[in-house]
Amino acid sequence: MENNNMDIELQAPVDKSKMKELRAGDMVYITGTIYTARDAAHKRMAKALAEGKPLPISVEGNLIYYMGPSPAREGRPIGSAGPTTASRMDKYTPSLLDLGLSGMIGKGKRSNKVIDAMIRNGAVYFAAIGGAGALLSKAIVESEVIAYDDLGTEAIRKLKVERFPAIVVIDSKGNNLYETAGKKIL
C-alpha cells in the first residue's frame, strides 16, 4: 500500500495557507501556542458572541485543543492532557471557524456542518491519541488559565507546546481519514 503522507513540523498559531497544504493522514508535530476549550467554555463563548461581546481569546489563526487536564504533578506545568470527544463542540464550532479558527484537536468524528465550515474556511481537524494523555502532556511546556477560571478543568488555557503529536483527520478539502482508512482496510 502506498503512503504519500508526511511528517510535518507546524508552528502555531497557523496561517490558513499552511493549513491548506495539509492532507488527511499527515502526521504533524505542533510547536507554539494553542488553547484549550471544552463544552462549558464553548457554551460561554457562544453566549458572548450572541450578546455581541468579545471572546476571551482571538481565534484568528489559532488552534483549540478539546482537553481538560488532570492536576499537574510537582514540577510539571500540567497533568494528563488527553483529548476529549470533539462532537460535543460541534454546535459551537462553525461560528468559531467563521471567525478565523485555523483548526481543532480532539478525538472522534465531526458533523457535516463542522466539515462544511472547515472547507469554507480552510481549516483542519487534528486527532490526538485518546488514552495517551500522560504522554501528550510531555509536549506541553507551559500552561496558564486565561479565561473562565471558575470552570476548573474546563477553563480556557493557553498552552505552549513543543512537538505536540497529532494526525490530520479531516483536511481543509473535507478529506476524512475516518472514512478513507476504513475503506482501505476492507
Side-chain angles (χ1 to χ4, degrees):
M1 180 182 332
E2 185 176 325
N3 182 358
N4 294 324
N5 297 106
M6 302 171 45
D7 287 353
I8 298 167
E9 298 288 335
L10 197 61
Q11 185 66 43
V14 184
D15 183 84
K16 289 285 179 89
S17 64
K18 182 66 176 172
M19 296 304 261
K20 290 179 180 179
E21 295 173 11
L22 300 173
R23 297 290 170 252
D26 286 345
M27 180 72 194
V28 299
Y29 296 94
I30 303 165
T31 297
T33 300
I34 64 174
Y35 295 88
T36 68
R38 285 183 43 176
D39 313 47
H42 275 78
K43 184 175 181 179
R44 282 202 189 163
M45 287 191 289
K47 183 178 181 207
L49 289 173
E51 295 173 351
K53 296 178 180 173
L55 295 177
I57 60 171
S58 169
V59 294
E60 181 70 35
N62 280 308
L63 302 176
I64 292 180
Y65 182 23
Y66 303 140
M67 183 270 295
S70 64
R73 291 185 179 171
E74 188 176 329
R76 293 289 306 143
I78 201 163
S80 184
T84 195
T85 304
S87 62
R88 296 197 323 248
M89 275 55 75
D90 279 4
K91 63 184 168 184
Y92 309 113
T93 301
S95 61
L96 297 177
L97 290 165
D98 289 342
L99 289 172
L101 184 67
S102 283
M104 303 81 43
I105 306 166
K107 67 178 181 181
K109 295 183 178 184
R110 303 310 301 263
S111 71
N112 288 333
K113 286 184 180 182
V114 170
I115 295 170
D116 291 344
M118 289 172 56
I119 294 167
R120 182 172 64 246
N121 292 287
V124 170
Y125 172 51
F126 301 97
I129 305 300
L135 180 63
L136 291 170
S137 72
K138 292 180 180 184
I140 300 169
V141 295
E142 291 179 19
S143 173
E144 173 189 7
V145 173
I146 59 165
Y148 311 144
D149 187 42
D150 61 304
L151 296 178
T153 60
E154 292 210 27
I156 295 178
R157 287 175 169 72
K158 178 180 179 179
L159 303 180
K160 182 178 176 188
V161 296
E162 290 181 3
R163 299 199 84 236
F164 183 93
I167 300 165
V168 176
V169 177
I170 304 173
D171 65 28
S172 64
K173 306 271 190 287
N175 298 308
N176 189 332
L177 191 62
Y178 288 130
E179 294 173 1
T180 58
K183 290 177 185 174
K184 286 180 182 177
I185 293 171
L186 300 174

